[in-house]
Amino acid sequence: MNKEIWSLELSEYIKQSEPEKQEKTRIWETAIGLQDVDGLKPSRYLIENVKEHIEGNIDLKEVGNRINEYYKVLDTKKQEEKESCEEADKVAVRITEILSEKTFNFSPSELLNIHKRLFKGIYKLAGEVRNYNITKDEWILNGDTVIYSSYESI
């Protein structure tokens, strides 16, 4: 889904809602926006559930359950959506969970825990300290890579 579309749909909650809905909206915008930076787009289904969560009709756990079930039963006709949106949807829900907790401890174990929570079931080595160096071409950097720490320093 195009950033302008989901951002416009959610921005109405910032303009016309009570503080709790505004806070939920800001957290969702952050979570989905972080996926957008990596070129990952949310599905229409996620945005529909985000709105229900912001409205208070479902809790965050239910959003996660619905997204997990959605991708379990997505048929082959929608394989392209599964490939293009599944990571964005699941990780956005997980980022929202973490940001909603209002706690953070800047320690190696906390960072590994966050990595595991975000990418469990998506990346095989989620939450583990890597034993090799990585690079990743970033479209936002015109194909250049972020400078990652050497695995020996982690």
Side-chain angles (χ1 to χ4, degrees):
M1 171 182 277
N2 184 307
K3 179 183 180 187
E4 290 76 29
I5 295 171
W6 67 257
S7 184
L8 183 62
E9 287 186 41
L10 297 183
S11 69
E12 292 304 311
Y13 290 102
I14 298 290
K15 294 177 189 172
Q16 303 175 18
S17 293
E18 49 276 359
E20 182 181 338
K21 289 181 181 178
Q22 291 175 353
E23 175 69 11
K24 286 180 182 178
T25 302
R26 285 188 183 95
I27 290 172
W28 277 111
E29 286 180 329
T30 300
I32 296 168
L34 286 169
Q35 299 309 296
D36 191 55
V37 167
D38 273 341
L40 301 172
K41 307 295 180 206
S43 67
R44 162 65 43 208
Y45 187 69
L46 175 68
I47 300 304
E48 291 169 7
N49 281 276
V50 166
K51 289 178 180 180
E52 283 196 63
H53 176 250
I54 293 169
E55 289 290 337
N57 299 329
I58 59 174
D59 63 17
L60 192 50
K61 185 175 182 175
E62 181 61 21
V63 175
N65 290 340
R66 287 180 178 187
I67 293 299
N68 287 332
E69 285 303 310
Y70 177 73
Y71 285 105
K72 280 183 190 175
V73 300
L74 203 61
D75 64 24
T76 55
K77 294 177 197 167
K78 294 192 173 187
Q79 190 62 29
E80 184 178 315
E81 179 180 347
K82 181 176 173 81
E83 290 170 0
S84 67
C85 298
E86 183 174 20
E87 180 180 347
D89 289 359
K90 288 182 176 182
V91 175
V93 171
R94 294 168 186 175
I95 290 170
T96 300
E97 289 170 346
I98 291 168
L99 293 176
S100 296
E101 290 173 355
K102 308 279 189 237
T103 61
F104 182 76
N105 175 12
F106 195 73
S107 68
S109 60
E110 179 76 6
L111 296 175
L112 286 172
N113 182 43
I114 289 171
H115 191 266
K116 184 175 184 177
R117 287 178 66 185
L118 293 178
F119 300 112
K120 183 179 179 182
I122 296 171
Y123 295 118
K124 182 178 160 187
L125 299 175
E128 295 183 23
V129 176
R130 60 184 158 82
N131 58 5
Y132 54 90
N133 288 326
I134 62 171
T135 61
K136 181 179 171 189
D137 294 339
E138 300 284 353
W139 68 267
I140 200 162
L141 299 175
N142 294 322
D144 203 357
T145 185
V146 172
I147 305 298
Y148 293 94
S149 296
S150 168
Y151 77 90
E152 294 170 335
S153 299
I154 299 177

